[in-house]
């Protein structure tokens, strides 16, 4: 086999020869899935015109509605043990990720590291991660409302008026505080976040979340400066975690439990024990 | 009380719509980060005091003289997300205490930045736990301002953490070579 696989008895992730996620086996199913990092170039507008503003702190507004891939091949290292199996992926010099599955956890963890976003080409960039499955979601997906109930979203649609979208990407982005999900009759895919992010489903079966952005123009909504964080030198590096839960559509209890455990993890306190042996400590 | 009040006031400031959405000016973002850092550090004194009262070693060892009013540090490592912690990166044995804020028991895979791969983790019963070691990802170890010498992450399962309660684990370097724990990546398949 040319595939790399990691997992536990309930969940298996397979990676192709280019290092990308390609298949998930969970809940008795083997389904196609992919995950990659992409970026949008921020729009540069004329801020004196209300409908032609730059992408900035207040608004997400990609230039020309195009998305760009960051890598066609990923460097990978695989570590397998009896507690966790993980794949270390390097997409380019400023994007890397660890994908891991713990022995008895029902989810896969994607720990991403993005930055400093290069701006040598004088283009602002907004980085997203996209999970693409074969789930027939028919344009419907769900985002949470401050970690409480899930709200149904439909691509290119608003419930109370006839919508004509001029910006197909930004117009379909919604706030995600802790969870974004989609499903059909046979499978459900949910992604839990560790922080508030923007997210969408721009095609059936696909979920994407924005993880980091660096922009060179103010959007003229009030902040008065571009979102270009250079105080620490080259720009900020961000690191965070996503949890992927895949299974039958009825598996929502696992999502709620995982949500609690990941958003309210145990507090850790460290104490030097140089003055105590293990028996004295006990 | 002043420590808690500083945290309360900071959390109040963090409810401002610019703080919630990230539309504050950069200088203000830096001030927010500074206030949060000071608030966490101040409240660290409170958690240290409380945990030392709860975990006093008097009684467990009658006649033993306490070394100080607060013998254990109970330090927070706010850079654990980039695998950096001064206590666990020293060569000394250390204890890690996990406080579970949930109202039900929790199982947590703990990841601790360490220097090598020969470690023993012991629970309060004296039982040795299963551990695993993986390298700190290359992307993390190359972060320019990361002041850490940790090359590995030690992983163990802290099971059955009591609801709104805590458990402590003792971590020490092993005298014997536990070479089987040396993490090595699987060969790249082509």
């Amino acid at each position: 086999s040319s595939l790399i696989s990691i997992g536990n008895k309930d969940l298996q992730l397979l990676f192709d020869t280019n290092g990308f996620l390609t298949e998930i086996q969970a809940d008795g199913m083997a389904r196609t899935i992919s995950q990659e990092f992409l970026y949008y170039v921020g729009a540069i507008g004329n801020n004196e015109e209300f409908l032609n503003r730059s992408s900035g702190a207040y608004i997400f507004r990609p230039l020309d509605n195009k998305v760009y891939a960051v890598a066609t091949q990923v460097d990978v290292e695989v570590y397998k043990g009896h507690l966790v199996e993980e794949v270390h992926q390097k997409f380019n010099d400023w994007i890397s990720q660890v994908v891991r599955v713990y022995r008895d956890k029902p989810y896969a963890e994607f720990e991403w590291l993005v930055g400093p976003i290069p701006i040598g080409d004088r283009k602002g960039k907004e980085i997203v991660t996209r999970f693409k499955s074969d789930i027939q979601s028919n344009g419907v997906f769900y985002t949470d409302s401050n970690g409480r109930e899930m709200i149904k979203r439909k691509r290119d649609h608003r419930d109370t008026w006839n919508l004509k979208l001029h910006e197909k990407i930004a117009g379909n982005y919604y706030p995600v505080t802790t969870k974004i999900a989609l499903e059909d009759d046979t499978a459900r895919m949910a992604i839990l976040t560790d922080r508030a992010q923007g997210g969408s489903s721009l095609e059936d079966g696909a979920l994407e979340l924005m993880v980091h952005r660096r922009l060179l123009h103010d959007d003229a909504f009030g902040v008065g400066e571009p979102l270009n964080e250079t105080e620490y030198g080259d720009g900020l590096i961000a690191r965070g975690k996503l949890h992927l839960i895949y299974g039958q559509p009825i598996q929502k209890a696992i999502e709620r439990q995982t949500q609690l455990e990941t958003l309210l993890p145990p507090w850790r306190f460290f104490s030097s024990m140089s003055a105590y042996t293990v028996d004295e400590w006990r | 009380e002043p420590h808690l009040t500083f945290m309360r006031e900071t959390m109040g400031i963090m409810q401002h719509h610019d703080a919630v959405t990230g539309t504050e000016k950069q200088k203000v973002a830096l001030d927010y980060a500074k206030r949060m850092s000071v608030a966490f550090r101040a409240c660290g004194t409170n958690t240290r005091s409380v945990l030392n009262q709860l975990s006093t070693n008097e009684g467990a060892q009658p006649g033993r003289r306490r070394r100080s009013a607060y013998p254990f540090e109970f330090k927070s490592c706010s850079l654990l997300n980039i695998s950096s912690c001064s206590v666990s990166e020293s060569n000394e044995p250390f204890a890690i205490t996990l406080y579970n804020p949930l109202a039900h028991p929790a199982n947590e895979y703990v990841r601790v930045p360490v220097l090598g791969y020969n470690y023993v983790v012991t629970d309060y019963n004296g039982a040795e736990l299963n551990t695993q070691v993986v390298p700190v990802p290359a992307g993390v170890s190359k972060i320019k301002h990361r002041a850490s010498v940790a090359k590995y992450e030690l992983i163990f399962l802290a099971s059955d953490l009591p609801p709104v309660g805590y458990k402590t684990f003792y971590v020490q370097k092993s005298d014997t070579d536990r070479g089987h724990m040396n993490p090595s990546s699987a060969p790249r398949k082509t």
Side-chain angles (χ1 to χ4, degrees):
Chain A
S1 169
S2 60
L3 295 174
I4 296 162
S5 75
I6 58 168
N8 59 29
K9 62 180 173 25
D10 300 317
L11 175 68
Q12 287 284 325
L13 298 179
L14 278 68
F15 296 79
D16 66 18
T17 48
N18 289 323
F20 289 99
L21 178 65
T22 184
E23 187 180 317
I24 186 165
Q25 297 170 3
D27 230 358
M29 298 180 285
R31 304 287 292 254
T32 305
I33 193 170
S34 66
Q35 185 255 346
E36 60 184 329
F37 287 92
L38 307 142
Y39 71 87
Y40 299 103
V41 174
I44 305 168
N46 175 358
N47 289 339
E48 290 179 0
E49 297 173 30
F50 184 71
L51 293 174
N52 189 24
R53 298 199 167 190
S54 300
S55 197
Y58 292 84
I59 51 171
F60 164 46
R61 196 151 185 257
L63 184 73
D64 297 334
N65 285 329
K66 281 185 189 162
V67 68
Y68 301 87
V70 301
T72 54
Q73 188 155 2
V74 185
D75 290 339
V76 293
E77 287 179 357
V78 187
Y79 297 93
K80 292 188 176 190
H82 50 279
L83 296 182
V84 65
E85 297 189 353
E86 54 186 52
V87 173
H88 295 199
Q89 296 175 306
K90 183 186 173 192
F91 290 81
N92 60 23
D93 286 342
W94 48 280
I95 298 182
S96 60
Q97 181 175 248
V98 178
V99 185
R100 60 173 69 98
V101 181
Y102 288 106
R103 186 180 57 188
D104 52 9
K105 294 288 186 186
Y107 54 78
E109 189 172 288
F110 293 74
E111 189 167 28
W112 49 268
L113 179 76
V114 177
I117 298 170
I119 48 168
D121 55 3
R122 303 304 301 159
K123 289 176 180 169
K125 298 177 186 67
E126 319 201 30
I127 320 301
V128 298
T129 179
R130 182 181 288 174
F131 292 78
K132 216 166 171 177
S133 73
D134 57 358
I135 294 173
Q136 300 300 310
S137 53
N138 292 322
V140 175
F141 60 106
Y142 301 85
T143 59
D144 71 327
S145 174
N146 281 329
R148 295 179 174 85
E149 85 266 38
M150 299 298 286
I151 297 178
K152 183 178 178 181
R153 314 290 193 184
K154 191 164 184 197
R155 195 166 57 248
D156 301 331
H157 174 83
R158 302 290 187 272
D159 281 344
T160 51
W161 75 93
N162 291 325
L163 181 69
K164 188 179 175 192
L165 267 185
H166 294 282
E167 299 185 39
K168 292 275 187 183
I169 296 169
N172 280 306
Y173 254 70
Y174 290 91
V176 176
T177 323
T178 61
K179 182 160 79 169
I180 185 168
L182 52 74
E183 64 184 13
D184 62 13
D185 293 338
T186 60
R188 174 180 170 87
M189 176 168 71
I191 301 170
L192 309 182
T193 64
D194 63 347
R195 66 197 68 191
Q197 293 175 326
S200 186
S201 172
L202 296 176
E203 53 186 287
D204 287 352
L207 291 174
E208 71 178 54
L209 288 155
M210 187 175 292
V211 292
H212 196 9
R213 55 206 302 251
R214 186 176 188 188
L215 299 162
L216 305 176
H217 297 270
D218 173 40
D219 58 13
F221 273 102
V223 70
E225 59 189 35
L227 192 66
N228 178 16
E229 298 155 304
T230 54
E231 265 67 14
Y232 298 104
D234 302 328
L236 288 192
I237 302 170
R239 195 179 196 203
K241 283 180 189 174
L242 300 173
H243 291 93
L244 171 70
I245 299 175
Y246 199 102
Q248 306 281 347
I250 51 167
Q251 296 254 334
K252 291 172 192 163
I254 292 174
E255 292 170 21
R256 299 296 292 178
Q257 176 82 11
T258 307
Q259 214 170 353
L260 265 182
E261 289 182 2
T262 53
L263 294 174
L264 291 167
W267 303 3
R268 284 139 208 248
F269 299 98
F270 293 82
S271 303
S272 172
M273 284 290 138
S274 52
Y276 297 89
T277 66
V278 64
D279 289 330
E280 286 174 327
W281 163 77
R282 285 181 61 209
Chain B
E1 187 65 21
H3 296 165
L4 296 175
T5 296
F6 190 86
M7 176 66 95
R8 290 179 186 120
E9 289 173 353
T10 302
M11 293 313 292
I13 292 167
M14 301 316 293
Q15 310 307 309
H16 183 257
H17 63 88
D18 279 348
V20 171
T21 55
T23 49
E24 74 278 27
K25 282 181 182 289
Q26 185 61 42
K27 290 279 193 296
V28 179
L30 296 174
D31 184 58
Y32 287 163
K34 185 175 166 185
R35 282 173 183 273
M36 290 291 291
S37 175
V38 171
F40 267 101
R41 203 164 61 232
C43 288
T45 308
N46 299 55
T47 50
R48 183 162 59 105
S49 163
V50 170
L51 286 167
N52 267 298
Q53 289 169 52
L54 291 172
S55 62
T56 175
N57 59 0
E58 284 180 332
Q61 302 225 340
R64 183 187 175 85
R65 189 166 55 86
R66 289 176 69 175
R67 293 166 201 232
S68 71
Y70 294 143
F72 303 127
E73 298 167 286
F74 293 112
K75 278 177 80 169
S76 293
C77 285
S78 58
L79 294 175
L80 276 178
N81 69 323
I82 53 167
S83 306
S84 173
C85 175
S86 61
V87 180
S88 66
E89 287 174 27
S90 71
N91 265 320
E92 304 293 342
F94 63 92
I96 175 167
T97 299
L98 301 163
Y99 169 77
N100 173 19
L102 297 175
H104 57 74
N107 297 320
E108 174 80 0
Y109 282 97
V110 182
R111 302 178 77 95
V112 185
V114 288
L115 294 176
Y117 47 81
N118 289 331
Y119 285 85
V120 177
V121 180
T122 311
D123 72 6
Y124 68 97
N125 285 319
E128 198 177 301
L129 303 188
N130 277 332
T131 58
Q132 187 184 334
V133 178
V134 293
V136 171
V140 174
S141 57
K142 283 181 190 154
I143 293 174
K144 209 169 165 184
H145 301 287
R146 177 175 171 266
S148 169
V149 289
K151 288 191 174 137
Y152 301 95
E153 284 186 320
L154 174 69
I155 303 160
F156 65 92
L157 175 63
S159 55
D160 281 327
L161 296 174
V164 287
Y166 69 93
K167 269 188 183 178
T168 302
F169 302 86
Y170 189 93
V171 184
Q172 62 186 322
K173 282 203 88 166
S174 171
D175 294 333
T176 55
D177 182 20
R178 298 156 69 87
H180 66 281
M181 287 181 61
N182 185 1
S184 57
S185 67
R188 178 84 194 268
K189 294 173 181 172
T190 57

